[in-house]
Amino acid sequence: MPAHYFKYATLGLALLGTTTGAVASDADDFPSKPIQFLVAAGAGGGTDNFARVVRPMFEEAIGGARITVVNLPAASGALAHQRTANGEPDGHTLDFASTTLVTSLAAGQNPVGLDQLTPVARMQSDVMALFVNPERFEDFDAFKTYAEENPGKVTVGGTHTASPDHMAFLSLVDASGLDMNFIPYDSTGNATANVLGGNIDATTTSLSPLLSYIDAGQMAPILVFSDERLEDYPDVPTTVDNGWELTDGNDRAIFVHADTPALIVARLEDAFKTVFDSEDYQAYAERVNLDYRDGWMGGDEYRQRLESNYELYTRLLEND
């Protein structure tokens, strides 16, 4: 074998060792400056509350870095995704996003693809459900019978088009074959008010925002998007009970620039897992009823889930 081969091979190994050492050094020194939590939602919502509750826990887990929270709700959070994808790939800019990241991508509303962001971890998965006024429908069988007898006349509300609420509706229609229409509202509160007022027949949304209505007997979940029945609602059937593999919830997760070194991503994931396992975080999750199912999912596994959901949501929107 020519001598110059060994020369360049040796040089290549030396450069590889230098590069690997530099990345390892960067990871060892991380964080080296203040960290930004970019929240792809407005102040006071579920994603914002999640980021602000996690901040002091994460500061401790990561070693005392100073963290600021910045809300960027414009364009369904797309501005937060753009700023993360266009920033430095050094792990100091974290994108806190909900399922709206992938639903808006499927709808063509979000210019930042999954090739531009790397998921660090999912920490929450709020269970979706179909809700009705219990004075109108006793259970899902009654609702389903009514929908079958009145094709095209049943209306289901939720937050804006291409939201997790809308995707839950489209998934249900796709699986069940029921002929129903979706009415978008600017908030969960408005959709709920229209169910209570009899203007629409039902709403698809996550459980946690409607717990006070459920406790007051004004609204009732009649179908939950879950593989198992929930302990608090043992009589409410699941989508899987009906033979429909619809279990996606409204997730909340953390993303970084796609070119962030793997060792730094791993450091971030470990820190968030420490937060997730802490007594303080679990007490918070229980307090806001985000403990119906395990919210944790590591970055690699969550990427697979996102890619699968992107394909599903794209097909559902194209057929809508």
Side-chain angles (χ1 to χ4, degrees), residues 53-54 56-57 60 274-287:
V53 166
V54 163
M57 304 179 200
E60 181 178 353
T274 297
V275 170
F276 182 85
D277 290 337
S278 70
E279 291 184 6
D280 286 345
Y281 182 83
Q282 290 301 319
Y284 151 72
E286 182 177 0
R287 186 171 65 252

Side-chain angles (χ1 to χ4, degrees), residues 79-108:
L79 184 58
H81 313 323
Q82 287 177 307
R83 189 171 295 185
T84 302
N86 295 331
E88 292 294 325
D90 59 8
H92 290 85
T93 300
L94 306 183
D95 184 359
F96 279 66
S98 70
T99 294
T100 302
L101 167 67
V102 71
T103 62
S104 62
L105 180 61

Side-chain angles (χ1 to χ4, degrees), residues 1-15:
M1 188 171 289
H4 71 268
Y5 175 86
F6 294 102
K7 175 183 176 181
Y8 290 119
T10 302
L11 176 60
L13 288 172
L15 290 173

Side-chain angles (χ1 to χ4, degrees), residues 16-164:
L16 178 61
T18 301
T19 303
T20 303
V23 172
S25 177
D26 289 344
D28 290 340
D29 294 339
F30 180 84
S32 59
K33 61 184 180 181
I35 292 175
Q36 275 197 331
F37 284 4
L38 303 185
V39 179
T47 304
D48 178 59
N49 290 337
F50 163 53
R52 293 179 188 278
V53 166
V54 163
R55 181 176 70 171
M57 304 179 200
F58 182 77
E59 284 179 343
E60 181 178 353
I62 204 66
R66 185 166 63 87
I67 295 173
T68 57
V69 179
V70 181
N71 293 92
L72 297 171
S76 299
L79 184 58
H81 313 323
Q82 287 177 307
R83 189 171 295 185
T84 302
N86 295 331
E88 292 294 325
D90 59 8
H92 290 85
T93 300
L94 306 183
D95 184 359
F96 279 66
S98 70
T99 294
T100 302
L101 167 67
V102 71
T103 62
S104 62
L105 180 61
Q109 301 169 350
N110 174 15
V112 180
L114 296 176
D115 59 330
Q116 296 171 271
L117 296 173
T118 290
V120 175
R122 185 191 77 177
M123 292 182 69
Q124 297 178 356
S125 184
D126 204 350
V127 178
M128 303 297 289
L130 177 68
F131 293 88
V132 297
N133 182 338
E135 295 183 356
R136 180 87 185 280
F137 299 106
E138 179 181 3
D139 53 27
F140 181 65
D141 285 340
F143 176 87
K144 185 170 180 285
T145 297
Y146 178 81
E148 289 170 341
E149 293 176 349
N150 296 274
K153 296 182 180 180
V154 172
T155 51
V156 179
T159 51
H160 57 86
T161 302
S163 67

Side-chain angles (χ1 to χ4, degrees), residues 131-137 192-193 195-197 203 210-221:
F131 293 88
V132 297
N133 182 338
E135 295 183 356
R136 180 87 185 280
F137 299 106
T192 303
V195 174
L196 295 175
T203 182
L210 295 192
L211 290 173
S212 61
Y213 290 95
I214 298 171
D215 292 342
Q218 296 175 297
M219 296 283 284

